[in-house]
Amino acid sequence: MQSTKLNAQITAVGMYVPDKVLDNKYFEEIVETNDEWIVSRTGIKERRKMENGATSDMAANAILDLLKTTSVKAEEIDVIIVATVTPDMFFPATACLVQDKIGAKNAWGFDLSAACSGFLFALQTGAALIESGRYKKVIVVGSDKMTAISDYTDRNTCILFGDAASAILLEPTEDLSYGLIDTLLYTDGSGKDALNMKGGGSLNPSSHETVDNKMHYIYQDGKAVFKVAVKGMADISYEVMKKNNLESDDIAYLVPHQANLRIIDATANRMGIEKEKVMINIHKYGNTTAATIPSCLTEYYRAGKLKKGDNLILAAFGAGYTWGAAYVKWSLD
Ligand code: COA
């Protein structure tokens, strides 16, 4: 017997950002930089810092925020996927810690590592579990405590990143015109040298030497990443739009990963999408890695700017390299 075809749709959203704000003035005092440079080159004005607690605490808070908005109970969650590059520990998985913290006692889960593309990779993975018909309630949460791996003596990177978490709930729909309609995802490991954290893994186990050589911090060749990120994100967004016969007028919002306002502008230009139709929160939070896209969705939805049936193009580029774009038809009123 042929089983019913299902799509995965987003039925609830939530987010968490820590209270502590690091504005550009803060960085003027610790490295050679200034507010004007940071705003004009990146679009970032502030970012948040998690002072007490880890990635799992932010993820749990984001999911609890989501659960407040739905009748779904923690015990009903089937799967928790945590997209992160800043897990609490190598093991157990952050998903286990989150499962315990929210009391999702019937869930299994795992972490997914795809850096700034983590949310999109996890969205596709969660959607596949729903589409299989086997799971009914999948939480995808992007959570990153980037301040834990930022070198506050390196002006090239420390100004860029912040801490946040944001979650979505995926549930099945038989109406195949809603939910996650299409995704294009890629990896290219030849980009590994441009953006990474070298220390602490099996290649360079933690030692005094790895600490002395600052190998437990983010390393980024900003210029190299900028060039490929602009092309990667713009091309893939255009590709997913064309593949689904969408014109720019058909799109309610571009929801881009928030790494740099100039990368976002280039992507919107390539798609022919005007500024008002681009979700932005980089000025408030900086680059929060796996949390950027769902936090944009949460904030714009809560501001009443999204309506059922809106066509959204989600797009990201990150370390790996990893990149991708997704076409989502919004399901919430
Ligand atoms: N304040 C002041 N000057 C700074 C600075 C800061 N915080 N950071 C770097 N600079 C300096 C550089 O040292 C360089 O000086 P030099 O010419 O004397 O060497 C100069 O500014 C220009 O650096 P450049 O790297 O060309 O700047 P940029 O315009 O490319 O902006 C980034 C730098 C990091 C903002 C940009 O390259 C970027 O966004 N890269 C991609 C980031 C990204 O997307 N990462 C995550 C992928 S998801």
Side-chain angles (χ1 to χ4, degrees), residues 11-17 57-72 74 77 101-102 139 141 165-169 294-295 297-299 301-302:
T11 56
V13 291
M15 68 184 282
Y16 171 79
V17 293
D57 296 301
M58 295 197 295
N61 286 340
I63 298 168
L64 293 174
D65 180 55
L66 174 154
L67 289 173
K68 276 192 250 156
T69 70
T70 160
S71 58
V72 173
I77 297 167
K101 283 177 182 168
I102 65 167
I139 290 280
V141 57
S166 183
I168 60 163
L169 174 64
S295 66
L297 290 173
T298 304
E299 292 197 318
Y301 174 62
R302 288 182 174 173

Side-chain angles (χ1 to χ4, degrees), residues 33-307:
T33 191
N34 59 74
D35 177 59
E36 196 280 326
W37 191 95
I38 300 174
V39 173
S40 63
R41 300 296 184 101
T42 71
I44 302 167
K45 293 181 178 156
E46 296 178 353
R47 57 307 270 147
R48 301 296 177 101
K49 180 177 166 65
M50 185 74 173
E51 292 190 293
N52 300 303
T55 292
S56 67
D57 296 301
M58 295 197 295
N61 286 340
I63 298 168
L64 293 174
D65 180 55
L66 174 154
L67 289 173
K68 276 192 250 156
T69 70
T70 160
S71 58
V72 173
K73 302 272 169 287
E75 311 84 71
E76 295 175 70
I77 297 167
D78 298 313
V79 188
I80 301 168
I81 307 175
V82 181
T84 189
V85 289
T86 52
D88 290 27
M89 299 177 259
F90 268 131
F91 65 88
T94 307
C96 301
L97 311 175
V98 172
Q99 173 274 330
D100 184 43
K101 283 177 182 168
I102 65 167
K105 54 176 188 278
N106 297 305
W108 61 282
F110 57 93
D111 293 1
L112 186 153
S113 172
C116 295
S117 308
F119 178 76
L120 283 191
F121 281 38
L123 173 66
Q124 169 58 67
T125 306
L129 295 173
I130 295 279
E131 288 160 15
S132 75
R134 194 148 176 164
Y135 302 101
K136 303 268 179 288
K137 294 178 185 356
V138 175
I139 290 280
V140 172
V141 57
S143 185
D144 270 303
K145 186 180 170 185
M146 297 306 287
T147 61
I149 57 167
S150 294
D151 175 1
Y152 285 92
T153 64
D154 176 12
R155 69 176 182 175
N156 292 288
T157 53
C158 69
I159 55 127
L160 297 172
F161 297 96
D163 304 337
S166 183
I168 60 163
L169 174 64
L170 292 174
E171 294 186 87
T173 172
E174 287 182 20
D175 183 345
L176 301 184
S177 62
Y178 279 91
L180 181 62
I181 311 279
D182 197 13
T183 51
L184 292 169
L185 301 173
Y186 294 100
T187 55
D188 177 2
S190 69
K192 69 185 189 311
D193 296 329
L195 181 51
N196 55 46
M197 193 188 91
K198 295 180 182 69
S202 57
L203 182 62
N204 302 295
S206 306
S207 66
H208 287 288
E209 198 189 338
T210 61
V211 174
D212 289 346
N213 290 331
K214 300 190 165 196
M215 290 165 76
H216 298 269
Y217 291 130
I218 301 160
Y219 165 80
Q220 174 168 256
D221 177 345
K223 258 186 207 141
V225 175
F226 187 84
K227 228 190 265 173
V228 283
V230 164
K231 183 161 166 43
M233 218 161 93
D235 283 356
I236 195 111
S237 306
Y238 186 75
E239 197 181 334
V240 87
M241 182 172 119
K242 285 294 151 199
K243 186 170 167 232
N244 289 281
N245 299 315
L246 295 167
E247 297 301 326
S248 46
D249 285 347
D250 302 324
I251 293 163
Y253 283 103
L254 166 65
V255 193
H257 169 55
Q258 315 275 308
N260 186 313
L261 201 51
R262 291 182 293 147
I263 300 175
I264 295 172
D265 287 345
T267 304
N269 281 342
R270 174 96 156 89
M271 296 171 74
I273 286 183
E274 57 263 39
K275 269 203 160 74
E276 299 67 43
K277 291 184 4 180
V278 182
M279 290 194 188
I280 303 284
N281 66 13
I282 189 172
H283 54 294
K284 295 190 285 184
Y285 308 128
N287 183 349
T288 58
T289 305
T292 60
I293 291 176
S295 66
C296 278
L297 290 173
T298 304
E299 292 197 318
Y300 277 69
Y301 174 62
R302 288 182 174 173
K305 293 179 179 168
L306 271 173
K307 60 178 191 310

